[in-house]
Every structure is written in structure tokens, then in C-alpha cells.
Amino acid sequence: MPRRIPWFGPVLAVLIWELLGRSLTDAFVLAAPSAILGYLFENAGLMTRALIETLKNAAAGFMIGNLAAVALAIIATVWPRSDAMVRGLALVVFCLPLVATGPILRVVFGPGDGPQIVLAALAVYYTTLIPLLVGLRALPSGWLDLVRSYGRGRLAALIHVRAMAALPYFVAGLQIAAPAAFLGAMVGEFTGAERGMGVLTIRAMRGMNVEMTWALAVVATAVAVLGYAAIGWIARKTLRDEPPVILAPPSVGRRGNAWMTLIGVTVALLVIWWGGLQILNVSPFFAKGPAEVFDALFLAPDAGVVRATLMEALGETAVFLLPGYAAGIGVGALLAMLLVVMPSLAGTAMPLAIALRSVPIITTAPLVVLFTGRGAVGTIVLVAIMVFFPTFVACLHGLRQAPGRVIDVMRSYAASPFDVLTRVRVPAMLPAFFAAARMNVPASVLAVTVVEWLATGNGIGSLMALSASQSDYDMLWSSVVLVAVLSSLGYAGVGWLERRVLATYAPEQLT
């Protein structure tokens, strides 16, 4: 059997990149690795200062966001009646488009690092919360029965049983969160910061500086890859136990009425929205409360024009969003299954996959548009890239959660790798797949709005950016509310599909 050379694929890719970069010098679309290294060497001081600034904000947001995710997961697990409320509030907050919340946070916080840190935290807390909630329930119910037989309560079960079972899922969430935190910090810098990678990205885009754009993309990718690898290394050193065999669904307490939950979440959001504006004492010119948004959408003389403008923009966005979302989750799941069946490909595919997604979309968008133009292909590709990596990582972890004893039994009966994949690994993967699919609903919205903001000039993303620049805050807040509501509906639709698929193909995984 030939010896595997894991570095062959990346080295070949760099060589091809170098040849393409040199051949396309006059096209101003691609910088060769040698030119990028030259730029980084000549501007090492500038890039280092910007990187330190963005890293500082991203790290603060990463810590805050993940601590919030852990706290919310503990509340939802120890007190199951709060689960629907926690998920609903967390979802709506996560669905707020960064393109619009960035300018609003800049108004609230003013100059400084506040918007960058908040956006980084908002970008990561949900991607950790959902896998963590799945992991906290992915355990045999017998383990919980054993804890209860010793007279211990939910808190003891959480600490001694659920937390241990949830660690692999928690790690998957952290790995997805690492590049997301960097993206959130850069988006925050777009809104008026004085320093950082986002500020340099704006400068590179406006100056059509291809070498600088690619240098920023390479540095951002390196940071994200290192973060991903570091978390994975820690996980490999600490997670040594085999996954449990789940024979019966765990008890998660009584589920509440869906309509009552929806009403409760809506009321809580309105109270938080209104109360937050009162506490922050933001000028009514910038800050629009629930009453002002309702007035702008339904009561004002120009409400019909506002609704028509929003619908037209949403229609333009949906044309790119849905194909990109479907392509991203499909490719991510298929690549994860391919690497499990053919692990020899991991040495080549994994570094390229990590690098592809680790480039923050802030820097990816201009590059892809340079190659594909401002049409549908570039937007769909960017949405797919944004969706692909969380799906890939989550599915890979899910496939590895297949119980080794069951796989051993199948192999003892000479089952083929395909049979093991379809009958054992895929059912074990389904909860992680649907968790990623749910997470990717707002992530795909983020991707398409960022692309529309930075490159295409169409759709709801461009409308929000234009509204912010023209101080049309009625339109901006209305856009935010509409996008958040539609993202929440998309999330609920995926959840509805999840429960029906799991009930048929993996009822033991149904939580």
C-alpha cells in the first residue's frame, strides 16, 4: 500500500495558485503566493497591528459568546420548561442581520471596541448553543435513571452525565465558532472602527489593491485554521471515551404548547426590545421601538411603499439564498461521509476545506466577485461556502459518534463500508446534520446580506446598508425585524422536517 503523503494536496494547490497568479497578473483578480508573501513582508508592522486589534476583539467576543451559550444550555437543561423559551429568544437574537445590527450598535456604543466585541459574541453563541443542547441529550436514558436511583437531581445529572456526553458536540461548536468570532469582529470594524483587519479590508477594496486583499484573506485564514486546529488538538487529548450506544430516547420533560411558547417568546422579545432602548436612552431618531416599526409598516402614509420595497428586496435575496443554502449543506454532508468512508482523502481534503471556509466572508466576497462577477453564481457560491463548513464539521462529528460496538458487529458479518455508513453512521449523524441545518439558516442570511452589501448592490442586504447610510432608520429597523422573522420561520421549518425524518430513520436520536 503506498505511503500516504498528507501534505501533497496543499502543496499542489499552492503551486497551481502560484502559476495562476503569475498568469493573471494583468487581470487584477488573483495574487500569487509569492506576491502575497512579499506584501506581508513589506507591511509586517501594519498587518501585525491590525491583526492584534481584531484578535483582541474576536477573543473577547468568543469568550463572552461561548459563556452565554453554556449558561443558556444549562438553564434549558436543568429547567426543561424553559427550553422552548431559551431556544426561541436565542434564535431571534441570532437571526438579527449583522449588516444592520452593526450600524445600530455603533450608534449605541459610539467609538471604541464595543460593537466589534458584541458582534463577535453574537456570531458565536448560537453556533455553540445548538450543538451543546444536542449533546446534552445524546445519552442513554439508563444513565439518567441510574443517577435518579441514587436520589440525585437534575444538576447532578448535568454535571456527572450530560456534560461528559456533550463534550464532543461542544468541541464541534467551538470549532465552528472560532472563524465566526473573527468574522463578527471584522464586520464590527466595518461600521466605523479606526483599526483592525476590517478597516484594512475596506481600504483594500476601495483601492482595488489585489495583493492587499489576498494578504488579508491569507492572514485571516491562517488565524481561523490555527484556532480550529488548536481546539481540535485539545479535544483529541481529552476526549478518549467511545460514544455511548443510545437505545432509548432520553426524557427532556414535558413539552409546552407551541402557540403558548410562540406568544411567550414574542412578548418577551418586545419587552426586551422596548426596555433595552429605554435603558440605553438612545436618541429616538436612531432607535425605533416596536410601535415605530409597526407604524412604518402598516399605519404611516407611505407604509405601502415601504412594504413593496421590502418585498422586492426580499425576492431578489431569495433567488440567491435558497440554492446556496441547499448546495452548502449538501456538499458539507457528502464530503463528511466521503472522508469517513475514504479516510485516506482526509490529508488533502481537510486542510483545503478548513482554509476555504476559514477565510472570513468579508474578504471572500470581493475575491469571489472578482472571479465570477456580480451575478447569481458568485452570490450562490459565497452562500454555499458559508453554509458548507459548519455542516461539514457537524456531520463529521456526528458520523464519528456511531457506536464502535455496533460497527464491530456489522463488520463481523462482513458488512461493506457503504452498509456501515448508511445503516449506522448516517442515523448517528442525523441530529448533528439537522443542528447544522438549523444553524445555517441565519448564517446563510448573513452571507447573502453581506455579499449584497459589499458586492452586488441588490437585495435586502443592500437595502439595509443604503438605509443606514441615508439615515432611513424606519426602513432599517423594519428590514431587521422582517429578516429576523423570516429566518426564524426558516429555522422552524427545518426543525419540523428534522422531527419527521428522525421519527422515521433514527427515533432513538429524537430529543
Side-chain angles (χ1 to χ4, degrees):
M1 182 176 180
R3 184 180 178 184
R4 191 177 62 180
I5 306 177
W7 46 263
F8 177 75
V11 169
L12 179 63
V14 171
L15 289 176
I16 296 173
W17 180 5
E18 178 71 26
L19 293 174
L20 285 175
R22 289 178 179 275
S23 62
L24 297 174
T25 302
D26 297 332
F28 296 99
V29 297
L30 181 64
S34 58
I36 295 171
L37 288 176
Y39 179 88
L40 290 174
F41 180 77
E42 294 174 1
N43 300 274
L46 175 66
M47 296 294 288
T48 302
R49 290 192 296 274
L51 178 60
I52 291 174
E53 181 69 20
T54 304
L55 271 180
K56 181 185 67 176
N57 295 327
F62 183 84
M63 290 295 296
I64 294 170
N66 284 305
L67 287 175
V70 172
L72 291 173
I74 290 174
I75 292 172
T77 304
V78 175
W79 188 26
R81 289 178 183 274
S82 69
D83 178 77
M85 182 68 75
V86 168
R87 287 175 183 261
L89 290 173
L91 168 65
V92 175
V93 174
F94 187 65
C95 288
L96 297 176
L98 298 184
V99 175
T101 52
I104 294 172
L105 288 172
R106 181 62 64 188
V107 171
V108 173
F109 286 95
D113 297 335
Q116 294 90 297
I117 295 174
V118 172
L119 287 177
L122 289 175
V124 306
Y125 85 98
Y126 199 73
T127 60
T128 301
L129 174 64
I130 294 304
L132 187 54
L133 284 173
V134 172
L136 286 169
R137 288 160 188 168
L139 73 166
S141 59
W143 292 7
L144 300 177
D145 295 338
L146 181 62
V147 173
R148 282 194 287 268
S149 71
Y150 280 92
R152 307 300 296 272
R154 291 172 180 168
L155 186 60
L158 173 67
I159 296 173
H160 299 293
V161 178
R162 292 188 188 275
M164 298 300 107
L167 279 177
Y169 296 86
F170 184 51
V171 169
L174 292 179
Q175 287 186 300
I176 296 170
F182 205 76
L183 166 65
M186 290 184 69
V187 171
E189 290 167 353
F190 262 53
T191 62
E194 298 178 352
R195 298 178 296 277
M197 299 281 288
V199 176
L200 292 186
T201 303
I202 295 175
R203 187 188 303 177
M205 291 168 55
R206 289 177 177 171
M208 294 295 290
N209 190 331
V210 177
E211 291 178 355
M212 186 177 183
T213 302
W214 279 94
L216 289 163
V218 168
V219 172
T221 302
V223 170
V225 170
L226 288 175
Y228 179 94
I231 295 170
W233 180 82
I234 294 171
R236 287 192 295 275
K237 294 297 181 183
T238 55
L239 303 178
R240 297 180 181 277
D241 294 336
E242 289 188 358
V245 178
I246 303 175
L247 298 177
S251 173
V252 295
R254 187 172 64 87
R255 297 182 183 278
N257 181 279
W259 287 106
M260 291 301 295
T261 301
L262 177 62
I263 293 172
V265 170
T266 303
V267 171
L269 283 170
L270 293 175
V271 170
I272 293 172
W273 181 3
W274 179 83
L277 295 180
Q278 301 304 312
I279 293 173
L280 295 172
N281 194 27
V282 185
S283 168
F285 177 74
F286 302 106
K288 305 298 180 184
E292 288 82 1
V293 170
F294 184 82
D295 182 77
L297 286 174
F298 300 105
L299 303 179
D302 63 342
V305 176
V306 172
R307 292 198 302 272
T309 304
L310 286 170
M311 290 302 106
E312 182 182 0
L314 283 173
E316 294 172 350
T317 298
V319 171
F320 306 126
L321 175 65
L322 298 179
Y325 174 81
I329 60 173
V331 172
L334 288 175
L335 181 60
M337 287 187 271
L338 181 65
L339 292 191
V340 168
V341 176
M342 303 175 66
S344 59
L345 297 177
T348 299
M350 278 297 289
L352 295 178
I354 296 171
L356 180 64
R357 172 56 184 91
S358 297
V359 182
I361 193 172
I362 292 295
T363 54
T364 310
L367 299 177
V368 173
V369 170
L370 281 173
F371 277 108
T372 62
R374 296 176 181 271
V377 175
T379 306
I380 292 173
V381 167
L382 280 166
V383 174
I385 290 173
M386 192 77 174
V387 170
F388 152 76
F389 187 70
T391 307
F392 171 63
V393 173
C395 289
L396 204 55
H397 280 270
L399 290 165
R400 290 170 179 168
Q401 291 306 301
R405 283 169 286 176
V406 177
I407 294 175
D408 292 340
V409 170
M410 290 200 67
R411 286 174 176 164
S412 70
Y413 283 94
S416 67
F418 181 76
D419 288 333
V420 173
L421 174 69
T422 55
R423 297 177 184 277
V424 181
R425 292 193 183 277
V426 170
M429 179 199 78
L430 286 176
F433 170 78
F434 279 108
R438 280 183 274 133
M439 280 191 304
N440 282 325
V441 171
S444 59
V445 173
L446 165 66
V448 74
T449 52
V450 168
V451 176
E452 290 169 343
W453 171 33
L454 294 177
T456 66
N458 299 318
I460 196 72
S462 175
L463 177 63
M464 288 188 286
L466 185 64
S467 302
S469 65
Q470 296 178 343
S471 300
D472 186 357
Y473 290 99
D474 282 334
M475 181 65 80
L476 179 62
W477 283 80
S478 299
S479 303
V480 171
V481 171
L482 192 59
V483 170
V485 169
L486 292 178
S487 298
S488 301
L489 290 176
Y491 179 96
V494 176
W496 177 85
L497 181 64
E498 174 186 14
R499 299 201 66 79
R500 274 143 187 82
V501 172
L502 291 186
T504 302
Y505 295 101
E508 76 283 357
Q509 302 281 359
L510 198 61
T511 60

